[in-house]
Amino acid sequence: MFAVALDGPSGAGKSSIAKAAAKELGFVYVDTGALYRTIGLYLLEHGIDPKDGARVEPVLPEIHVELQHDPEGQKMFLCGREVTGLIRTPEVSMAASHCSAHPAVRAFLLELQRELAQKSNVLMDGRDIGTVVLPDAGLKVFLTASPEERARRRVKQLRESGQEAEYEEILRDIQQRDYQDTHREAAPLKQAEDAVFLDTTELSFEEVVKQLVKLVQERQ
Ligand code: DC
């Protein structure tokens, strides 16, 4: 099996780029952020503060997270209910970022992620895939873009999916999540030493996909 670890901050375009590259390569795309989002949604729905590790840890065994690959994209299920769309709100983004700081939450999702990489060739996107989840990945890429560019892209994406989005608010959210994701103690977002650094601020979507596909083909 060949695994590609794609890490980087939120809104760097990882998911759409990874999805397109995986399709071209015939790999399975795995969006690990969706796993943390699904846990974040459960906590919000049950009135549990995602920052409160002492309350989050005991409920983890009740949370059944399931992922289904679909030609349209990855589908997420929480305790048997499809939540693919529900996990894409700004509230769930923030809850996911908060709950992902707890080592117990990370440990809870680790095996699931590793199992997925054993079953097929994967292109897995997240924050700690190259550093923690798949340290032996055949290729590691750290994908980023400036916070302003990421905010512009996120606004466009949200508006296209019919949601309201305000640039200043999204930019603040991105900066706050960047801070949280890079400063947490458990598996913080950081570039693996052997990762290829790819800054997409000045690149078009097609250019980035092309570069990623080329990198995979060279390594495979
Ligand atoms: O990629 P995303 O925006 O959907 O991720 C949501 C949150 O989940 C993000 O703030 C950080 C966390 N996350 C993580 O800690 N580790 C991962 N591998 C993926 C996401």
Side-chain angles (χ1 to χ4, degrees):
M1 292 300 160
F2 191 90
V4 182
L6 187 66
D7 291 301
S10 39
K14 292 191 305 292
S15 60
S16 43
I17 286 158
K19 220 182 280 175
K23 198 171 168 196
E24 213 169 309
L25 292 159
F27 279 34
V28 169
Y29 164 60
V30 181
D31 168 11
T32 64
L35 303 173
Y36 292 92
R37 286 172 179 272
T38 302
I39 294 188
L41 177 68
Y42 178 95
L43 299 173
L44 291 180
E45 286 183 339
H46 287 77
I48 297 166
D49 178 359
K51 288 186 208 151
D52 188 348
R55 288 203 60 207
V56 171
E57 190 170 347
V59 300
L60 290 174
E62 294 163 23
I63 310 182
H64 296 283
V65 180
E66 203 193 320
L67 180 157
Q68 272 180 24
H69 306 302
D70 184 277
E72 298 297 303
Q74 173 179 296
K75 288 190 173 167
M76 291 308 302
F77 294 83
L78 170 59
C79 302
R81 171 173 62 116
E82 186 175 355
V83 294
T84 312
L86 283 178
I87 59 171
R88 296 292 154 195
T89 65
E91 291 74 27
V92 175
S93 299
M94 210 41 92
S97 180
H98 286 305
C99 78
S100 69
H102 305 305
V105 172
R106 309 205 68 85
F108 179 70
L109 294 175
L110 188 60
E111 270 320 296
L112 172 62
Q113 294 171 85
R114 288 191 175 152
E115 276 167 23
L116 291 166
Q118 275 161 11
K119 281 194 230 154
S120 20
N121 288 341
V122 289
L123 212 161
M124 193 174 277
D125 110 36
R127 303 295 189 285
D128 62 336
I129 310 304
T131 51
V132 177
V133 180
L134 305 174
D136 299 325
L139 171 69
K140 299 178 187 177
V141 176
F142 193 84
L143 196 82
T144 191
S146 70
E148 293 76 17
E149 176 62 17
R150 287 187 275 135
R152 275 192 291 275
R153 292 178 190 169
R154 185 72 83 173
V155 166
K156 189 163 169 260
Q157 193 185 37
L158 284 169
R159 289 193 181 145
E160 278 169 4
S161 70
Q163 295 183 62
E164 296 208 358
E166 205 236 310
Y167 173 79
E168 290 300 332
E169 195 181 318
I170 302 275
L171 179 61
R172 263 198 315 275
D173 263 27
I174 282 185
Q175 286 165 334
Q176 188 187 338
R177 282 212 287 150
D178 278 1
Y179 185 86
Q180 281 165 203
D181 295 348
T182 51
H183 286 77
R184 67 177 180 226
E185 270 180 40
L189 166 66
K190 70 166 193 271
Q191 185 180 346
E193 275 176 21
D194 49 352
V196 177
F197 182 79
L198 199 56
D199 185 339
T200 73
T201 307
E202 305 285 337
L203 297 176
S204 73
F205 175 79
E206 289 76 18
E207 282 167 330
V208 185
V209 174
K210 214 166 125 190
Q211 284 200 26
L212 183 56
V213 168
K214 193 163 157 248
L215 282 169
V216 178
Q217 286 166 342
E218 282 167 2
R219 290 284 174 100
Q220 227 184 339

Short mmCIF file of all heavy atoms in Angstrom, two decimals, residues 92-158:
data_model
loop_
_atom_site.label_atom_id
_atom_site.label_comp_id
_atom_site.label_asym_id
_atom_site.label_seq_id
_atom_site.Cartn_x
_atom_site.Cartn_y
_atom_site.Cartn_z
N VAL A 92 -19.09 23.93 14.55
CA VAL A 92 -18.49 22.60 14.62
C VAL A 92 -16.98 22.68 14.35
O VAL A 92 -16.20 21.96 14.97
CB VAL A 92 -19.20 21.61 13.66
CG1 VAL A 92 -18.50 20.26 13.65
CG2 VAL A 92 -20.65 21.42 14.05
N SER A 93 -16.57 23.59 13.46
CA SER A 93 -15.13 23.77 13.20
C SER A 93 -14.40 24.08 14.50
O SER A 93 -13.36 23.51 14.81
CB SER A 93 -14.87 24.95 12.26
OG SER A 93 -15.47 24.75 11.03
N MET A 94 -14.97 25.00 15.27
CA MET A 94 -14.33 25.43 16.51
C MET A 94 -14.36 24.30 17.54
O MET A 94 -13.37 24.06 18.23
CB MET A 94 -15.05 26.68 17.03
CG MET A 94 -14.19 27.65 17.80
SD MET A 94 -12.53 27.95 17.15
CE MET A 94 -12.80 29.37 16.10
N ALA A 95 -15.48 23.61 17.62
CA ALA A 95 -15.59 22.48 18.57
C ALA A 95 -14.57 21.40 18.21
O ALA A 95 -13.94 20.81 19.09
CB ALA A 95 -17.01 21.91 18.55
N ALA A 96 -14.38 21.16 16.91
CA ALA A 96 -13.42 20.14 16.46
C ALA A 96 -12.01 20.55 16.87
O ALA A 96 -11.22 19.73 17.35
CB ALA A 96 -13.50 19.97 14.95
N SER A 97 -11.71 21.82 16.68
CA SER A 97 -10.37 22.30 17.03
C SER A 97 -10.13 22.15 18.54
O SER A 97 -9.07 21.70 18.96
CB SER A 97 -10.23 23.76 16.59
OG SER A 97 -8.95 24.25 16.91
N HIS A 98 -11.14 22.51 19.35
CA HIS A 98 -10.99 22.39 20.80
C HIS A 98 -10.86 20.93 21.23
O HIS A 98 -9.97 20.58 21.99
CB HIS A 98 -12.17 23.03 21.53
CG HIS A 98 -12.14 24.53 21.52
ND1 HIS A 98 -11.06 25.24 21.96
CD2 HIS A 98 -13.05 25.44 21.10
CE1 HIS A 98 -11.30 26.54 21.81
NE2 HIS A 98 -12.50 26.68 21.29
N CYS A 99 -11.75 20.07 20.73
CA CYS A 99 -11.71 18.68 21.23
C CYS A 99 -10.49 17.93 20.72
O CYS A 99 -10.03 16.99 21.35
CB CYS A 99 -13.02 17.93 20.94
SG CYS A 99 -13.21 17.35 19.26
N SER A 100 -9.93 18.38 19.58
CA SER A 100 -8.76 17.68 19.03
C SER A 100 -7.51 17.91 19.88
O SER A 100 -6.49 17.27 19.66
CB SER A 100 -8.51 18.12 17.59
OG SER A 100 -8.06 19.45 17.54
N ALA A 101 -7.58 18.83 20.84
CA ALA A 101 -6.42 19.10 21.70
C ALA A 101 -6.27 18.04 22.79
O ALA A 101 -5.21 17.93 23.41
CB ALA A 101 -6.56 20.48 22.34
N HIS A 102 -7.33 17.25 23.04
CA HIS A 102 -7.25 16.26 24.13
C HIS A 102 -6.58 14.97 23.65
O HIS A 102 -7.03 14.36 22.68
CB HIS A 102 -8.66 15.92 24.65
CG HIS A 102 -9.44 17.13 25.07
ND1 HIS A 102 -8.95 18.03 25.99
CD2 HIS A 102 -10.65 17.60 24.68
CE1 HIS A 102 -9.84 18.99 26.15
NE2 HIS A 102 -10.87 18.75 25.37
N PRO A 103 -5.52 14.55 24.34
CA PRO A 103 -4.83 13.32 23.93
C PRO A 103 -5.77 12.12 23.83
O PRO A 103 -5.60 11.28 22.95
CB PRO A 103 -3.79 13.10 25.04
CG PRO A 103 -3.56 14.46 25.62
CD PRO A 103 -4.86 15.19 25.50
N ALA A 104 -6.80 12.06 24.69
CA ALA A 104 -7.72 10.92 24.67
C ALA A 104 -8.50 10.88 23.35
O ALA A 104 -8.77 9.81 22.81
CB ALA A 104 -8.69 10.99 25.85
N VAL A 105 -8.86 12.05 22.84
CA VAL A 105 -9.60 12.12 21.57
C VAL A 105 -8.69 11.67 20.43
O VAL A 105 -9.09 10.90 19.56
CB VAL A 105 -10.14 13.56 21.32
CG1 VAL A 105 -10.73 13.69 19.93
CG2 VAL A 105 -11.17 13.93 22.38
N ARG A 106 -7.46 12.11 20.46
CA ARG A 106 -6.50 11.75 19.40
C ARG A 106 -6.24 10.24 19.42
O ARG A 106 -6.20 9.60 18.38
CB ARG A 106 -5.20 12.54 19.54
CG ARG A 106 -5.40 14.03 19.67
CD ARG A 106 -4.20 14.82 19.23
NE ARG A 106 -3.99 14.70 17.81
CZ ARG A 106 -4.59 15.45 16.89
NH1 ARG A 106 -5.41 16.41 17.23
NH2 ARG A 106 -4.35 15.25 15.62
N ALA A 107 -6.09 9.69 20.63
CA ALA A 107 -5.83 8.25 20.74
C ALA A 107 -7.04 7.46 20.24
O ALA A 107 -6.90 6.44 19.57
CB ALA A 107 -5.54 7.90 22.20
N PHE A 108 -8.22 7.97 20.54
CA PHE A 108 -9.48 7.33 20.13
C PHE A 108 -9.57 7.19 18.61
O PHE A 108 -10.08 6.21 18.09
CB PHE A 108 -10.63 8.20 20.67
CG PHE A 108 -12.01 7.72 20.34
CD1 PHE A 108 -12.52 6.58 20.92
CD2 PHE A 108 -12.82 8.44 19.47
CE1 PHE A 108 -13.81 6.14 20.63
CE2 PHE A 108 -14.11 8.03 19.17
CZ PHE A 108 -14.60 6.87 19.75
N LEU A 109 -9.04 8.18 17.89
CA LEU A 109 -9.15 8.17 16.42
C LEU A 109 -7.94 7.58 15.70
O LEU A 109 -7.98 7.34 14.49
CB LEU A 109 -9.40 9.59 15.91
CG LEU A 109 -10.73 10.22 16.30
CD1 LEU A 109 -10.79 11.67 15.84
CD2 LEU A 109 -11.91 9.44 15.69
N LEU A 110 -6.88 7.32 16.45
CA LEU A 110 -5.62 6.91 15.82
C LEU A 110 -5.72 5.58 15.07
O LEU A 110 -5.35 5.49 13.90
CB LEU A 110 -4.52 6.84 16.89
CG LEU A 110 -3.11 6.60 16.37
CD1 LEU A 110 -2.67 7.73 15.43
CD2 LEU A 110 -2.11 6.49 17.52
N GLU A 111 -6.27 4.56 15.75
CA GLU A 111 -6.33 3.23 15.12
C GLU A 111 -7.20 3.24 13.87
O GLU A 111 -6.86 2.64 12.85
CB GLU A 111 -6.88 2.19 16.11
CG GLU A 111 -5.80 1.52 16.93
CD GLU A 111 -4.53 1.19 16.12
OE1 GLU A 111 -4.63 0.36 15.19
OE2 GLU A 111 -3.46 1.76 16.40
N LEU A 112 -8.32 3.94 13.97
CA LEU A 112 -9.24 4.03 12.83
C LEU A 112 -8.50 4.58 11.61
O LEU A 112 -8.61 4.06 10.49
CB LEU A 112 -10.43 4.93 13.21
CG LEU A 112 -11.42 5.32 12.12
CD1 LEU A 112 -12.10 4.08 11.55
CD2 LEU A 112 -12.49 6.27 12.67
N GLN A 113 -7.71 5.62 11.82
CA GLN A 113 -6.98 6.23 10.71
C GLN A 113 -5.93 5.27 10.15
O GLN A 113 -5.76 5.14 8.94
CB GLN A 113 -6.31 7.54 11.17
CG GLN A 113 -7.32 8.60 11.55
CD GLN A 113 -6.65 9.81 12.20
OE1 GLN A 113 -6.17 10.72 11.54
NE2 GLN A 113 -6.58 9.82 13.52
N ARG A 114 -5.23 4.57 11.04
CA ARG A 114 -4.19 3.64 10.57
C ARG A 114 -4.80 2.47 9.81
O ARG A 114 -4.25 2.01 8.81
CB ARG A 114 -3.36 3.14 11.75
CG ARG A 114 -2.45 4.24 12.27
CD ARG A 114 -1.43 3.73 13.25
NE ARG A 114 -0.52 4.81 13.62
CZ ARG A 114 0.12 4.91 14.76
NH1 ARG A 114 -0.02 3.97 15.68
NH2 ARG A 114 0.93 5.92 14.99
N GLU A 115 -5.96 2.00 10.29
CA GLU A 115 -6.63 0.89 9.60
C GLU A 115 -7.00 1.29 8.17
O GLU A 115 -6.86 0.50 7.24
CB GLU A 115 -7.92 0.50 10.33
CG GLU A 115 -7.68 -0.45 11.48
CD GLU A 115 -8.92 -0.56 12.38
OE1 GLU A 115 -10.03 -0.27 11.89
OE2 GLU A 115 -8.74 -0.90 13.56
N LEU A 116 -7.46 2.51 8.02
CA LEU A 116 -7.87 2.98 6.69
C LEU A 116 -6.69 2.95 5.72
O LEU A 116 -6.83 2.61 4.55
CB LEU A 116 -8.44 4.40 6.77
CG LEU A 116 -9.78 4.53 7.49
CD1 LEU A 116 -10.08 5.98 7.83
CD2 LEU A 116 -10.91 3.96 6.64
N ALA A 117 -5.50 3.27 6.23
CA ALA A 117 -4.31 3.30 5.38
C ALA A 117 -3.79 1.91 5.05
O ALA A 117 -2.98 1.75 4.15
CB ALA A 117 -3.23 4.13 6.05
N GLN A 118 -4.25 0.91 5.82
CA GLN A 118 -3.81 -0.45 5.53
C GLN A 118 -4.66 -1.11 4.46
O GLN A 118 -4.24 -2.06 3.81
CB GLN A 118 -3.85 -1.30 6.81
CG GLN A 118 -2.58 -1.14 7.63
CD GLN A 118 -2.76 -1.57 9.07
OE1 GLN A 118 -3.78 -2.18 9.42
NE2 GLN A 118 -1.79 -1.24 9.90
N LYS A 119 -5.87 -0.60 4.29
CA LYS A 119 -6.81 -1.24 3.37
C LYS A 119 -6.62 -0.83 1.92
O LYS A 119 -6.92 -1.58 1.01
CB LYS A 119 -8.25 -0.86 3.78
CG LYS A 119 -8.74 -1.68 4.94
CD LYS A 119 -10.24 -1.50 5.07
CE LYS A 119 -10.61 -1.16 6.49
NZ LYS A 119 -11.81 -0.43 6.68
N SER A 120 -6.18 0.39 1.67
CA SER A 120 -6.04 0.84 0.28
C SER A 120 -4.95 1.91 0.19
O SER A 120 -4.46 2.40 1.21
CB SER A 120 -7.37 1.41 -0.24
OG SER A 120 -8.23 1.77 0.80
N ASN A 121 -4.61 2.25 -1.05
CA ASN A 121 -3.73 3.39 -1.25
C ASN A 121 -4.51 4.62 -0.84
O ASN A 121 -5.61 4.85 -1.35
CB ASN A 121 -3.34 3.52 -2.74
CG ASN A 121 -2.38 2.44 -3.18
OD1 ASN A 121 -1.73 1.79 -2.36
ND2 ASN A 121 -2.28 2.24 -4.48
N VAL A 122 -3.95 5.40 0.07
CA VAL A 122 -4.71 6.56 0.55
C VAL A 122 -3.97 7.87 0.37
O VAL A 122 -2.75 7.92 0.39
CB VAL A 122 -5.08 6.46 2.06
CG1 VAL A 122 -6.14 5.40 2.31
CG2 VAL A 122 -3.86 6.26 2.92
N LEU A 123 -4.77 8.89 0.24
CA LEU A 123 -4.26 10.24 0.32
C LEU A 123 -4.99 10.82 1.53
O LEU A 123 -6.20 11.05 1.48
CB LEU A 123 -4.65 10.98 -0.97
CG LEU A 123 -3.69 12.04 -1.46
CD1 LEU A 123 -3.95 12.33 -2.92
CD2 LEU A 123 -3.79 13.27 -0.63
N MET A 124 -4.28 10.93 2.64
CA MET A 124 -4.94 11.27 3.90
C MET A 124 -4.61 12.70 4.30
O MET A 124 -3.44 13.06 4.38
CB MET A 124 -4.45 10.29 4.98
CG MET A 124 -5.26 10.33 6.24
SD MET A 124 -4.77 9.05 7.42
CE MET A 124 -5.65 7.63 6.83
N ASP A 125 -5.63 13.49 4.53
CA ASP A 125 -5.36 14.89 4.89
C ASP A 125 -5.70 15.17 6.34
O ASP A 125 -6.64 14.61 6.90
CB ASP A 125 -6.01 15.81 3.85
CG ASP A 125 -7.20 16.62 4.31
OD1 ASP A 125 -7.22 17.06 5.47
OD2 ASP A 125 -8.10 16.86 3.48
N GLY A 126 -4.85 15.97 7.00
CA GLY A 126 -5.05 16.28 8.42
C GLY A 126 -4.03 17.27 8.94
O GLY A 126 -3.63 18.21 8.22
N ARG A 127 -3.63 17.08 10.20
CA ARG A 127 -2.65 17.97 10.83
C ARG A 127 -1.40 17.22 11.28
O ARG A 127 -0.32 17.79 11.37
CB ARG A 127 -3.26 18.65 12.07
CG ARG A 127 -4.52 19.43 11.83
CD ARG A 127 -4.25 20.63 10.95
NE ARG A 127 -5.42 21.50 10.89
CZ ARG A 127 -6.52 21.23 10.20
NH1 ARG A 127 -6.61 20.13 9.50
NH2 ARG A 127 -7.52 22.09 10.20
N ASP A 128 -1.59 15.95 11.64
CA ASP A 128 -0.49 15.17 12.23
C ASP A 128 -0.31 13.84 11.49
O ASP A 128 0.15 12.87 12.06
CB ASP A 128 -0.82 14.87 13.70
CG ASP A 128 -2.08 14.03 13.84
OD1 ASP A 128 -2.92 14.06 12.92
OD2 ASP A 128 -2.22 13.33 14.85
N ILE A 129 -0.70 13.80 10.23
CA ILE A 129 -0.64 12.52 9.50
C ILE A 129 0.83 12.12 9.28
O ILE A 129 1.21 10.99 9.56
CB ILE A 129 -1.42 12.59 8.16
CG1 ILE A 129 -2.82 13.16 8.37
CG2 ILE A 129 -1.48 11.20 7.51
CD1 ILE A 129 -3.68 12.43 9.39
N GLY A 130 1.63 13.05 8.82
CA GLY A 130 3.05 12.74 8.57
C GLY A 130 3.86 12.60 9.84
O GLY A 130 4.86 11.87 9.87
N THR A 131 3.45 13.28 10.91
CA THR A 131 4.24 13.26 12.14
C THR A 131 3.83 12.13 13.10
O THR A 131 4.66 11.58 13.79
CB THR A 131 4.12 14.60 12.90
OG1 THR A 131 2.73 14.92 13.04
CG2 THR A 131 4.82 15.73 12.17
N VAL A 132 2.53 11.80 13.14
CA VAL A 132 2.05 10.83 14.14
C VAL A 132 1.31 9.63 13.53
O VAL A 132 1.64 8.48 13.82
CB VAL A 132 1.10 11.52 15.17
CG1 VAL A 132 0.55 10.51 16.16
CG2 VAL A 132 1.81 12.65 15.89
N VAL A 133 0.33 9.91 12.70
CA VAL A 133 -0.56 8.82 12.24
C VAL A 133 0.17 7.87 11.28
O VAL A 133 0.14 6.66 11.48
CB VAL A 133 -1.84 9.40 11.58
CG1 VAL A 133 -2.76 8.28 11.11
CG2 VAL A 133 -2.59 10.31 12.56
N LEU A 134 0.81 8.43 10.26
CA LEU A 134 1.49 7.58 9.28
C LEU A 134 2.95 8.05 9.11
O LEU A 134 3.32 8.59 8.07
CB LEU A 134 0.77 7.65 7.92
CG LEU A 134 -0.72 7.31 7.89
CD1 LEU A 134 -1.30 7.57 6.50
CD2 LEU A 134 -0.96 5.86 8.30
N PRO A 135 3.77 7.81 10.15
CA PRO A 135 5.14 8.32 10.04
C PRO A 135 5.95 7.67 8.92
O PRO A 135 6.96 8.22 8.49
CB PRO A 135 5.75 8.00 11.42
CG PRO A 135 4.85 7.00 12.05
CD PRO A 135 3.50 7.15 11.42
N ASP A 136 5.47 6.52 8.41
CA ASP A 136 6.18 5.85 7.32
C ASP A 136 5.53 6.09 5.96
O ASP A 136 5.78 5.33 5.01
CB ASP A 136 6.26 4.34 7.58
CG ASP A 136 7.02 4.03 8.86
OD1 ASP A 136 7.98 4.77 9.14
OD2 ASP A 136 6.64 3.09 9.57
N ALA A 137 4.71 7.09 5.86
CA ALA A 137 4.03 7.38 4.58
C ALA A 137 5.04 7.51 3.44
O ALA A 137 6.14 8.04 3.63
CB ALA A 137 3.23 8.68 4.72
N GLY A 138 4.65 7.03 2.27
CA GLY A 138 5.54 7.06 1.11
C GLY A 138 5.85 8.47 0.65
O GLY A 138 6.90 8.75 0.06
N LEU A 139 4.92 9.37 0.91
CA LEU A 139 5.14 10.78 0.58
C LEU A 139 4.44 11.63 1.63
O LEU A 139 3.30 11.35 2.02
CB LEU A 139 4.55 11.10 -0.81
CG LEU A 139 4.52 12.59 -1.20
CD1 LEU A 139 5.92 13.13 -1.43
CD2 LEU A 139 3.65 12.82 -2.43
N LYS A 140 5.14 12.67 2.08
CA LYS A 140 4.53 13.63 3.02
C LYS A 140 4.58 15.01 2.39
O LYS A 140 5.63 15.42 1.89
CB LYS A 140 5.31 13.66 4.34
CG LYS A 140 5.34 12.33 5.05
CD LYS A 140 6.16 12.42 6.32
CE LYS A 140 6.32 11.04 6.93
NZ LYS A 140 7.17 11.06 8.13
N VAL A 141 3.46 15.69 2.45
CA VAL A 141 3.41 17.03 1.89
C VAL A 141 2.82 17.96 2.94
O VAL A 141 1.83 17.61 3.60
CB VAL A 141 2.55 17.07 0.60
CG1 VAL A 141 2.42 18.49 0.08
CG2 VAL A 141 3.14 16.16 -0.48
N PHE A 142 3.43 19.12 3.12
CA PHE A 142 2.88 20.14 4.02
C PHE A 142 2.37 21.27 3.14
O PHE A 142 3.14 21.95 2.46
CB PHE A 142 3.95 20.64 4.99
CG PHE A 142 3.38 21.44 6.13
CD1 PHE A 142 2.89 20.81 7.26
CD2 PHE A 142 3.31 22.83 6.06
CE1 PHE A 142 2.34 21.54 8.31
CE2 PHE A 142 2.77 23.57 7.11
CZ PHE A 142 2.29 22.92 8.23
N LEU A 143 1.06 21.41 3.13
CA LEU A 143 0.41 22.34 2.22
C LEU A 143 -0.10 23.55 2.99
O LEU A 143 -0.83 23.40 3.97
CB LEU A 143 -0.78 21.62 1.58
CG LEU A 143 -1.39 22.25 0.35
CD1 LEU A 143 -0.58 21.88 -0.88
CD2 LEU A 143 -2.81 21.73 0.17
N THR A 144 0.29 24.75 2.56
CA THR A 144 -0.19 25.92 3.28
C THR A 144 -0.45 27.08 2.33
O THR A 144 -0.21 26.98 1.11
CB THR A 144 0.80 26.31 4.40
OG1 THR A 144 0.18 27.28 5.24
CG2 THR A 144 2.11 26.85 3.86
N ALA A 145 -1.01 28.15 2.87
CA ALA A 145 -1.25 29.40 2.14
C ALA A 145 -1.38 30.48 3.21
O ALA A 145 -1.60 30.16 4.38
CB ALA A 145 -2.52 29.31 1.31
N SER A 146 -1.28 31.74 2.83
CA SER A 146 -1.38 32.80 3.83
C SER A 146 -2.78 32.77 4.48
O SER A 146 -3.75 32.34 3.83
CB SER A 146 -1.16 34.16 3.17
OG SER A 146 -2.27 34.47 2.35
N PRO A 147 -2.91 33.25 5.73
CA PRO A 147 -4.23 33.24 6.39
C PRO A 147 -5.27 34.02 5.59
O PRO A 147 -6.43 33.60 5.50
CB PRO A 147 -3.96 33.92 7.74
CG PRO A 147 -2.50 33.78 7.98
CD PRO A 147 -1.84 33.72 6.63
N GLU A 148 -4.86 35.15 4.97
CA GLU A 148 -5.83 35.97 4.20
C GLU A 148 -6.34 35.21 2.98
O GLU A 148 -7.53 35.22 2.69
CB GLU A 148 -5.16 37.29 3.75
CG GLU A 148 -4.82 38.24 4.87
CD GLU A 148 -3.58 37.81 5.66
OE1 GLU A 148 -2.80 36.97 5.15
OE2 GLU A 148 -3.41 38.32 6.78
N GLU A 149 -5.44 34.54 2.30
CA GLU A 149 -5.85 33.77 1.12
C GLU A 149 -6.76 32.61 1.54
O GLU A 149 -7.76 32.32 0.89
CB GLU A 149 -4.59 33.25 0.39
CG GLU A 149 -4.86 32.35 -0.81
CD GLU A 149 -5.63 33.02 -1.94
OE1 GLU A 149 -5.70 34.25 -1.97
OE2 GLU A 149 -6.19 32.28 -2.78
N ARG A 150 -6.42 31.98 2.66
CA ARG A 150 -7.25 30.87 3.14
C ARG A 150 -8.65 31.37 3.51
O ARG A 150 -9.64 30.70 3.27
CB ARG A 150 -6.58 30.18 4.32
CG ARG A 150 -5.37 29.36 3.87
CD ARG A 150 -4.81 28.55 4.99
NE ARG A 150 -3.87 29.30 5.81
CZ ARG A 150 -3.86 29.29 7.14
NH1 ARG A 150 -4.75 28.59 7.81
NH2 ARG A 150 -2.98 29.99 7.80
N ALA A 151 -8.71 32.56 4.13
CA ALA A 151 -10.02 33.12 4.51
C ALA A 151 -10.84 33.42 3.26
O ALA A 151 -12.04 33.12 3.21
CB ALA A 151 -9.82 34.38 5.34
N ARG A 152 -10.20 33.98 2.23
CA ARG A 152 -10.92 34.28 0.98
C ARG A 152 -11.49 33.00 0.38
O ARG A 152 -12.63 32.95 -0.04
CB ARG A 152 -9.96 34.94 -0.04
CG ARG A 152 -9.83 36.45 0.13
CD ARG A 152 -9.14 37.08 -1.06
NE ARG A 152 -7.73 36.73 -1.15
CZ ARG A 152 -6.75 37.37 -0.50
NH1 ARG A 152 -7.03 38.39 0.29
NH2 ARG A 152 -5.50 37.00 -0.62
N ARG A 153 -10.68 31.95 0.38
CA ARG A 153 -11.14 30.68 -0.21
C ARG A 153 -12.29 30.08 0.59
O ARG A 153 -13.24 29.55 0.03
CB ARG A 153 -9.98 29.67 -0.26
CG ARG A 153 -8.88 30.06 -1.25
CD ARG A 153 -7.77 29.04 -1.20
NE ARG A 153 -6.59 29.45 -1.94
CZ ARG A 153 -5.42 28.82 -1.87
NH1 ARG A 153 -5.28 27.76 -1.11
NH2 ARG A 153 -4.38 29.24 -2.58
N ARG A 154 -12.20 30.18 1.92
CA ARG A 154 -13.24 29.61 2.77
C ARG A 154 -14.57 30.35 2.59
O ARG A 154 -15.63 29.74 2.54
CB ARG A 154 -12.79 29.64 4.25
CG ARG A 154 -13.75 28.97 5.19
CD ARG A 154 -13.77 27.45 5.09
NE ARG A 154 -12.70 26.86 5.87
CZ ARG A 154 -12.53 25.57 6.08
NH1 ARG A 154 -13.37 24.71 5.59
NH2 ARG A 154 -11.52 25.11 6.77
N VAL A 155 -14.49 31.67 2.48
CA VAL A 155 -15.70 32.48 2.26
C VAL A 155 -16.38 32.03 0.98
O VAL A 155 -17.60 31.80 0.94
CB VAL A 155 -15.35 33.99 2.19
CG1 VAL A 155 -16.51 34.80 1.65
CG2 VAL A 155 -14.95 34.52 3.57
N LYS A 156 -15.57 31.86 -0.07
CA LYS A 156 -16.11 31.45 -1.38
C LYS A 156 -16.79 30.07 -1.26
O LYS A 156 -17.92 29.89 -1.70
CB LYS A 156 -14.94 31.39 -2.37
CG LYS A 156 -15.35 31.20 -3.79
CD LYS A 156 -14.19 31.56 -4.73
CE LYS A 156 -14.50 31.13 -6.15
NZ LYS A 156 -13.86 29.87 -6.51
N GLN A 157 -16.08 29.17 -0.59
CA GLN A 157 -16.60 27.80 -0.43
C GLN A 157 -17.93 27.79 0.34
O GLN A 157 -18.89 27.15 -0.07
CB GLN A 157 -15.54 27.01 0.34
CG GLN A 157 -15.70 25.52 0.36
CD GLN A 157 -14.62 24.90 1.27
OE1 GLN A 157 -14.27 25.47 2.31
NE2 GLN A 157 -14.09 23.77 0.87
N LEU A 158 -17.99 28.56 1.45
CA LEU A 158 -19.21 28.59 2.25
C LEU A 158 -20.36 29.20 1.46
O LEU A 158 -21.47 28.69 1.48
CB LEU A 158 -18.98 29.39 3.54
CG LEU A 158 -18.18 28.69 4.65
CD1 LEU A 158 -17.80 29.66 5.74
CD2 LEU A 158 -18.96 27.53 5.24
#
